[in-house]
Amino acid sequence: MSGIYCRVFQAGMKEANYFLGYRMPDCLEGAGCLKRLPALIRSKGADQLLVVTDPNLVKLGLAAKLTDLLDHEGLHYTVFSGVEPNPTSDNVEAGFKVYQDHGCRALVALGGGAPIDCAKAIAAKSVHPHKTVAQLQGILKVHAKIPLLFAIPTTAGTGSETTVAAVIIDSATHHKASINDPSILPHYAVLDPELTQGLPPKVTATTGMDALCHAVEAYTNHTYNTELENFLAREAVRLIHDNLLKAYHDGKDLEARGEMQKAAFYAGRAFTRGCVGYVHAVGHTLGGLYGVPHGLAMSIILPHVMRQYGPAVYDSLSELADACGIEGRTNAEKAHAFIRWIEAMKEEMQIPEGAEMIQEKDIPQIIAWAMEEANPLYPTPVTWGNEDFAELIAELRKERA
């Protein structure tokens, strides 16, 4: 697909974006704000809830914190916890069956990006019950009012509580793709840092780097952004610069945890309009083929893509460096210093430098899927073809000393 075609398509999308009605969900914020959610749900006339979560949160007792509050308010609910770390179309179909069988009329998603994305996909299915997940994936395939959806993130990374995307793996093909539609944006988000205090340092690291990736990719893409997206991306990067390592080293630091939740929320809203780029396009393939957690894939790939973009991102990265107080004499120096900061954080948080799991036989499929996802939709600073993706993958697979 030619670069000229991609840019023409993106120019059309830029104009279309003005008619898509982007918004942010209404928020409950602050330590302990989860306790206020049941009253909010009742005030909105919602009952017969489907609570979507994952087995680990049930095991850790976080799901019980929510359901105890729902019980106290006298709300009726059914729990669906069959969500995998990379949610699949089978997970969505199973959750939708529970939604139907129990006469549910609203959804509450509790967890990281996986349960929230799965809940968004179940909501999409509820208004298109005869369509498969694959038929809903793509751009503007839902286009209908979904049931009330309340999102409660327990990580500070994906920003799924404020995005129009639900990333789902096709159970048959292992292809990871998004449902992209403003219709599936949650109506309410609960940003309670107490829910992230129990995160292991490794999860804190990779989810925080996922948020950084969202902000950096949105900011280095120019075409679709307004001043709002650029402001939110810069602010998200600043918050991550100031707080991620604090949260990583001291999981009980509620202030750092809260700031990271805010960063993830801002970054999610920034890329909702500004889009992501080739980090995500390649990273999604690693999740689909090898089960690599999304945040880990983003963490590994981000600095490699930014370095390969070269001069096309020097101005943007230098502005992000300025937001963080990272110095340099020229824009190029500041851009490289910014990339080195990302790599230094990865090293301190023990995140691998490369992606040795990539198998030679899978490279053509990785490139094909990445091209299909990214071109022409993502307004990346440089338009890549097969050779560019092959160069990135070779760098990711390079043996490290």
Side-chain angles (χ1 to χ4, degrees):
M1 190 174 292
S2 74
I4 294 174
Y5 173 80
C6 289
R7 294 312 187 200
V8 171
F9 176 92
Q10 290 156 16
M13 280 296 298
K14 179 180 181 179
E15 297 304 315
N17 274 333
Y18 290 103
F19 301 96
L20 291 182
Y22 291 106
R23 62 175 177 83
M24 288 187 183
D26 292 331
C27 286
L28 299 178
E29 295 183 70
C33 69
L34 178 66
K35 296 173 184 175
R36 307 199 326 254
L37 177 62
L40 173 64
I41 293 174
R42 183 170 291 286
S43 74
K44 299 303 173 183
D47 204 351
Q48 295 298 341
L49 308 167
L50 181 69
V51 175
V52 181
T53 188
D54 65 48
N56 191 46
L57 292 182
V58 173
K59 181 179 178 181
L60 290 173
L62 279 179
K65 285 188 177 181
L66 170 63
T67 56
D68 287 350
L69 292 170
L70 298 177
D71 286 335
H72 187 265
E73 188 67 25
L75 293 166
H76 301 93
Y77 62 87
T78 302
V79 176
F80 172 70
S81 61
V83 182
E84 298 176 47
N86 285 296
T88 68
S89 54
D90 283 351
N91 298 160
V92 176
E93 295 292 353
F96 176 58
K97 186 175 188 306
V98 174
Y99 181 92
Q100 281 188 313
D101 289 350
H102 289 82
C104 297
R105 296 192 293 272
L107 300 99
V108 181
L110 174 73
I116 297 176
D117 277 7
C118 190
K120 289 154 81 172
I122 293 169
K125 282 279 297 180
S126 74
V127 292
H128 294 290
H130 302 298
K131 288 190 176 182
T132 65
V133 172
Q135 289 172 327
L136 294 169
Q137 286 172 323
I139 305 170
L140 303 178
K141 300 288 185 66
V142 182
H143 201 59
K145 185 178 180 180
I146 64 167
L148 274 175
L149 173 56
F150 303 83
I152 311 168
T154 60
T155 65
T158 69
S160 185
E161 67 276 5
T162 186
T163 73
V164 300
V167 183
I168 307 295
I169 294 175
D170 187 289
S171 297
T173 66
H174 304 291
H175 185 200
K176 193 172 187 178
S178 296
I179 302 171
N180 292 290
D181 196 305
S183 300
I184 65 171
L185 180 70
H187 299 93
Y188 299 91
V190 179
L191 305 181
D192 187 339
E194 290 183 357
L195 299 176
T196 71
Q197 280 188 302
L199 287 177
K202 180 179 179 181
V203 178
T204 298
T206 56
T207 55
M209 290 293 289
D210 185 23
L212 179 64
C213 186
H214 292 155
V216 171
E217 288 208 285
Y219 198 76
T220 53
N221 295 340
H222 297 293
T223 307
Y224 304 153
N225 290 352
T226 68
E227 279 304 310
L228 175 62
E229 285 76 37
N230 287 332
F231 167 78
L232 292 173
R234 285 194 303 270
E235 187 65 5
V237 170
R238 183 189 69 79
L239 289 168
I240 293 165
H241 176 273
D242 293 349
N243 293 283
L244 178 53
L245 288 178
K246 290 180 184 178
Y248 174 78
H249 289 298
D250 180 7
K252 298 297 183 182
D253 187 332
L254 266 181
E255 181 179 356
R257 291 287 193 188
E259 296 289 70
M260 283 303 300
Q261 279 196 319
K262 187 184 299 182
F265 186 84
Y266 285 173
R269 175 58 182 83
F271 90 81
T272 286
R273 181 167 184 153
C275 277
V276 288
Y278 294 138
V279 181
H280 275 73
V282 175
H284 285 156
T285 71
L286 303 189
L289 289 170
Y290 310 116
V292 178
H294 177 75
L296 177 58
M298 300 303 103
S299 306
I300 291 170
I301 301 170
L302 174 60
H304 296 283
V305 169
M306 291 299 132
R307 186 168 281 117
Q308 190 170 325
Y309 280 153
V313 294
Y314 286 172
D315 289 350
S316 297
L317 294 185
S318 71
E319 290 168 3
L320 294 179
D322 288 340
C324 299
I326 297 172
E327 298 180 348
R329 292 173 297 177
T330 66
N331 285 355
E333 281 191 8
K334 286 191 284 187
H336 284 291
F338 184 81
I339 295 170
R340 287 195 298 272
W341 163 67
I342 296 173
E343 292 171 330
M345 275 209 306
K346 284 178 56 177
E347 183 175 0
E348 185 166 343
M349 296 187 295
Q350 301 181 347
I351 295 170
E353 185 179 351
E356 290 80 5
M357 77 288 295
I358 297 175
Q359 299 179 29
E360 183 78 29
K361 66 180 179 64
D362 295 327
I363 293 175
Q365 182 67 83
I366 291 171
I367 293 173
W369 281 347
M371 290 271 285
E372 178 185 349
E373 175 178 335
N375 297 340
L377 177 61
Y378 295 164
T380 49
V382 179
T383 302
W384 282 3
N386 288 346
E387 291 182 0
D388 302 290
F389 283 106
E391 178 183 340
L392 173 68
I393 292 167
E395 178 63 26
L396 291 171
R397 297 182 75 227
K398 188 182 295 182
E399 290 188 10
R400 315 290 166 176

